[in-house]
């Protein structure tokens, strides 16, 4: 019997419902949904995408209007409440409901709700076909194929552990949705920024990071020829290489440079890289600069070796300093990413600002140390956690009590540091494409709001 065509609605929720976010500054292509869309369309199904970052109407109307047979929702920790809210509504509308994405992979037990039918806990998107065969086409034998999926059976949740996924099995992403919103996806001043992923996983094991647990802890990489084929076909002129770390294999990077040059591709690139690799491979960085490397996001993390040792970075402050010098000399924009540690005192906030000024780090991203939900780090900090609200796990909020000051004092010094860095950026013309005043007013408002709140909140 011929299977009927299904309608799928794939949802990426909005990042936040407050003004305290980076909407209009950094908006990322929903690449995961585009892989799934390509897979489902190849099977003959109708697919509708909804990205809360760029759409002008809410997800609820989208769920209602599409009358989808299956609704798939993915997101990160800070979007958990939205994911569950949309899932509940979709179930009320009669859809089969599936949750996925990075947060679901780690925290699937938090998603055990009566209105959630399935939770995808693997990068293997082909498991979605098994879910459909079981849930829609009633093929009971498909149940045995659902490794990497949580499912309900007679009111009880079951989980089958998945296997590491070979990223080379991914289909070419369906970028029709991205192309229709090309003007909305950006990284800072680089508009029309498309995402490209060349690998799943990370070869390093920094203690604060949970990304090395993805894909069962296994690194899986695409062939460089295939990566460059994809880049050549993308309409956008700016490419965000979304790997957890792109700068780790010099031979692979040399092949990338060679292929981009051979095909005469002229685009700008954004990628992640470690400070020690940049510091020790200036020639490779020059080659990448020459083919268009524009931004490199570097986890500098700290300005003291004691913190780097605690984070198990296996690099040191000299690497941090040299990586900045190398990028500045080559004209590569380095985005220095720092952790605001829970052990900070007032002097540490001031010292960080002075270090950034002294070493000429023009682009800066600050993350408050966050014990990630459902990780060993979270368990170690369990007696110090002050909230379990997933929307606060965005690296912009304190979720655990600081060591040497009150919550209120910590926020005060944090916002002062943010304001000083924004004023520095304004003087240097770093972010002239944004409204500095609007952001500074937002930081001041948050600072005053925190001051009025009780420390225990």
């Amino acid at each position: 019997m011929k299977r009927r065509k299904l309608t799928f609605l794939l949802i990426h929720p909005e990042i936040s419902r407050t003004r305290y976010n980076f909407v209009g500054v950094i908006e990322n292509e929903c690449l995961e949904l585009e892989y799934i869309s390509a897979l489902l369309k190849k099977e003959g199904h109708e697919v509708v995408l909804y990205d809360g970052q760029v759409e002008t109407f809410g997800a609820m109307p989208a769920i209602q209007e599409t009358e989808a047979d299956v609704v798939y929702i993915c997101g990160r920790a800070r979007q958990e409440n939205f994911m569950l809210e949309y899932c509940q509504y979709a179930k009320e509308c009669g859809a089969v409901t599936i949750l996925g994405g990075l947060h679901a992979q780690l925290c699937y037990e938090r998603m055990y709700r009566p209105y959630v039918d399935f939770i995808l806990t693997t990068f293997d998107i082909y498991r979605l076909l098994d879910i459909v065969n079981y849930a829609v086409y009633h093929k009971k034998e498909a149940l045995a194929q659902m490794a990497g999926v949580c499912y309900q059976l007679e009111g009880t949740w079951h989980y089958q552990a998945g296997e590491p996924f070979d990223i080379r099995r991914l289909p070419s992403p369906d970028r029709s949705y991205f192309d229709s919103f090309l003007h909305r996806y950006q990284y800072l001043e680089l508009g029309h920024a498309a995402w490209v992923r060349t690998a799943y996983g990370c070869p390093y094991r920094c203690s604060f990071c949970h990304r090395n647990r993805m894909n069962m802890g296994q690194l899986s990489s695409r062939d460089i020829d295939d990566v460059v084929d994809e880049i050549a076909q993308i309409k956008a002129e700016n490419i965000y290489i979304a790997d957890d770390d792109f700068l780790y294999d010099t031979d692979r990077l040399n092949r990338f440079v060679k292929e981009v040059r051979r095909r005469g591709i002229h685009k700008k690139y954004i990628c992640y890289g470690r400070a020690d690799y940049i510091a020790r491979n200036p020639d490779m960085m020059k080659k990448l600069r020459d083919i268009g490397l524009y931004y490199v996001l570097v986890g500098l993390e700290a300005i003291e070796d004691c913190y780097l040792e605690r984070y198990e970075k296996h690099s040191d402050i000299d690497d941090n300093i040299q990586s900045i010098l190398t990028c500045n000399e080559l004209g590569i924009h380095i985005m220095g990413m720092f952790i605001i540690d829970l052990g900070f005192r007032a002097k540490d906030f001031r010292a960080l600002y002075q270090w950034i000024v002294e070493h000429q780090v023009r682009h800066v991203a600050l993350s408050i140390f966050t014990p990630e939900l459902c990780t060993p780090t979270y368990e170690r900090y369990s007696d110090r956690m002050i909230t379990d609200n997933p929307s606060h796990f965005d690296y912009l909020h304190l979720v655990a009590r600081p060591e040497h000051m009150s919550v209120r004092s910590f926020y005060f010094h944090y916002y002062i540091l943010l304001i000083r860095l924004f004023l520095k950026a304004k003087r240097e013309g770093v972010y002239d494409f944004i409204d500095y005043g609007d952001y500074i007013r937002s930081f001041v408002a948050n600072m005053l709001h925190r001051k009025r709140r009780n420390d225990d909140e």
Side-chain angles (χ1 to χ4, degrees):
M1 183 174 67
K2 186 177 180 181
R3 298 185 307 176
R4 69 183 179 93
K5 181 175 73 173
L6 302 175
T7 299
F8 288 78
L9 175 60
L10 311 180
I11 297 178
H12 180 259
E14 65 265 48
I15 300 299
S16 169
R17 290 175 183 167
T18 72
R19 294 174 65 246
Y20 195 33
N21 56 47
F22 295 98
V23 172
V25 179
I26 298 174
E27 292 173 350
N28 297 320
E29 179 182 6
C30 45
L31 184 59
E32 176 186 348
L33 299 188
E34 294 170 342
Y35 284 129
I36 295 172
S37 176
L39 174 67
L40 295 174
K41 286 183 177 181
K42 187 176 181 180
E43 293 290 312
H45 300 299
E46 180 181 349
V47 182
V48 179
L49 265 66
Y50 175 94
D51 184 358
Q53 295 178 109
V54 301
E55 294 285 3
T56 57
F57 59 96
M60 302 303 194
I63 294 170
Q64 188 174 36
E65 291 173 13
T66 56
E67 298 181 345
D69 299 289
V70 182
V71 174
Y72 174 90
I73 307 168
C74 69
R76 301 197 177 192
R78 60 188 174 185
Q79 296 165 302
E80 178 186 299
N81 293 333
F82 304 152
M83 293 168 65
L84 293 173
E85 177 185 334
Y86 299 153
C87 199
Q88 183 172 12
Y89 186 73
K91 175 52 62 179
E92 291 172 357
C93 292
V96 173
T97 58
I98 308 172
L99 293 178
L102 296 177
H103 182 52
Q105 286 191 33
L106 278 178
C107 300
Y108 50 88
E109 291 182 331
R110 291 178 61 90
M111 312 292 183
Y112 285 177
R113 309 296 172 95
Y115 46 82
V116 178
D117 293 320
F118 301 91
I119 305 167
L120 188 67
T121 66
T122 171
F123 287 122
D124 186 356
I125 61 174
Y126 292 90
R127 295 284 72 80
L128 293 173
L129 302 181
D130 298 314
I131 290 174
V132 170
N133 281 334
Y134 174 73
V136 180
Y137 300 129
H138 307 297
K139 294 184 177 181
K140 293 185 178 180
E141 63 271 20
L143 199 62
Q145 305 299 319
M146 288 198 288
V149 176
C150 301
Y151 57 91
Q152 292 193 69
L153 193 61
E154 297 179 353
T156 301
W157 278 97
H158 299 265
Y159 168 63
Q160 296 186 40
E163 298 291 333
F165 179 65
D166 184 350
I167 194 173
R168 293 174 296 181
R169 293 181 58 209
L170 285 174
S172 297
D174 168 22
R175 286 197 154 90
S176 54
Y177 185 87
F178 171 78
D179 291 340
S180 67
F181 286 97
L182 199 60
H183 64 290
R184 290 296 307 275
Y185 292 102
Q186 65 187 89
Y187 185 84
L188 300 178
E189 76 273 23
L190 298 184
H192 302 183
W195 266 37
V196 170
R197 182 172 286 283
T198 85
Y200 281 136
C202 179
Y204 300 98
R205 295 293 183 265
C206 302
S207 64
F208 61 86
C209 181
H210 68 285
R211 299 301 292 268
N212 50 48
R213 298 178 61 200
M214 301 287 98
N215 205 35
M216 308 296 290
Q218 298 296 310
L219 178 66
S220 178
S221 302
R222 292 170 60 191
D223 299 328
I224 285 299
D225 285 355
D226 182 48
V227 171
V228 179
D229 280 342
E230 179 182 352
I231 290 172
Q233 296 167 15
I234 295 174
K235 295 178 182 179
E237 295 304 311
N238 301 302
I239 305 296
Y240 190 134
I241 298 175
D243 300 7
D244 300 324
D245 188 346
F246 185 57
L247 307 181
Y248 68 91
D249 183 333
T250 299
D251 289 341
R252 189 168 186 263
L253 291 172
N254 273 320
R255 292 198 299 274
F256 178 74
V257 170
K258 181 179 178 180
E259 279 303 300
V260 169
R261 283 176 173 165
R262 186 180 70 81
R263 302 187 195 196
I265 299 172
H266 301 287
K267 296 179 185 287
K268 292 179 180 177
Y269 300 94
I270 307 153
C271 74
Y272 287 88
R274 281 174 58 97
D276 53 351
Y277 185 90
I278 295 169
R280 299 167 195 178
N281 295 275
D283 292 342
M284 187 71 252
M285 298 306 297
K286 183 179 184 300
K287 292 178 185 178
L288 291 167
R289 187 277 312 270
D290 290 345
I291 64 163
L293 181 58
Y294 189 86
Y295 272 115
V296 60
L297 286 64
V298 184
L300 301 175
E301 320 302 2
I303 61 172
E304 296 180 50
D305 283 329
C306 61
Y307 285 111
L308 295 178
E309 291 170 5
R310 183 189 306 174
Y311 301 151
E312 299 181 27
K313 285 291 293 187
H314 300 292
S315 62
D316 56 34
I317 295 304
D318 289 340
D319 290 325
N320 282 359
I321 294 171
Q322 185 57 50
S323 69
I324 298 165
L325 288 172
T326 297
C327 288
N328 285 348
E329 288 173 0
L330 291 172
I332 298 170
H333 299 273
I334 184 171
M335 173 65 75
M337 300 187 294
F338 294 92
I339 294 173
I340 306 299
D341 197 84
L342 299 180
F344 268 27
R345 302 176 189 269
K347 65 181 180 62
D348 296 305
F349 288 92
R350 295 192 294 270
L352 178 55
Y353 177 79
Q354 293 301 328
W355 195 94
I356 289 169
V357 171
E358 178 184 350
H359 295 286
Q360 300 180 46
V361 187
R362 299 184 75 231
H363 298 80
V364 177
L366 304 180
S367 297
I368 296 176
F369 181 85
T370 300
E372 297 283 358
L373 292 164
C374 310
T375 66
T377 306
Y378 183 90
E379 294 303 317
R380 287 198 299 270
Y381 282 81
S382 60
D383 61 338
R384 291 173 54 185
M385 301 304 292
I386 58 176
T387 181
D388 62 355
N389 183 346
S391 66
H392 287 176
F393 284 74
D394 57 2
Y395 314 106
L396 304 174
H397 291 81
L398 267 173
V399 299
R401 191 170 299 283
E403 293 176 28
H404 303 299
M405 58 178 71
S406 67
V407 170
R408 182 171 63 184
S409 295
F410 189 97
Y411 270 122
F412 175 81
H413 291 289
Y414 169 65
Y415 285 123
I416 288 295
L417 176 58
L418 287 179
I419 292 169
R420 294 183 76 188
L421 288 171
F422 261 76
L423 291 174
K424 172 181 175 293
K426 186 176 188 300
R427 291 193 299 270
E428 297 173 355
V430 175
Y431 303 127
D432 282 348
F433 60 96
I434 68 170
D435 184 341
Y436 288 98
D438 186 55
Y439 273 86
I440 291 174
R441 285 190 294 271
S442 176
F443 293 145
V444 171
N446 275 283
M447 183 169 63
L448 294 176
H449 175 63
R450 297 287 176 188
K451 188 174 181 180
R452 288 193 299 266
R453 293 175 62 180
N454 184 283
D455 286 357
D456 292 331
E457 289 187 302

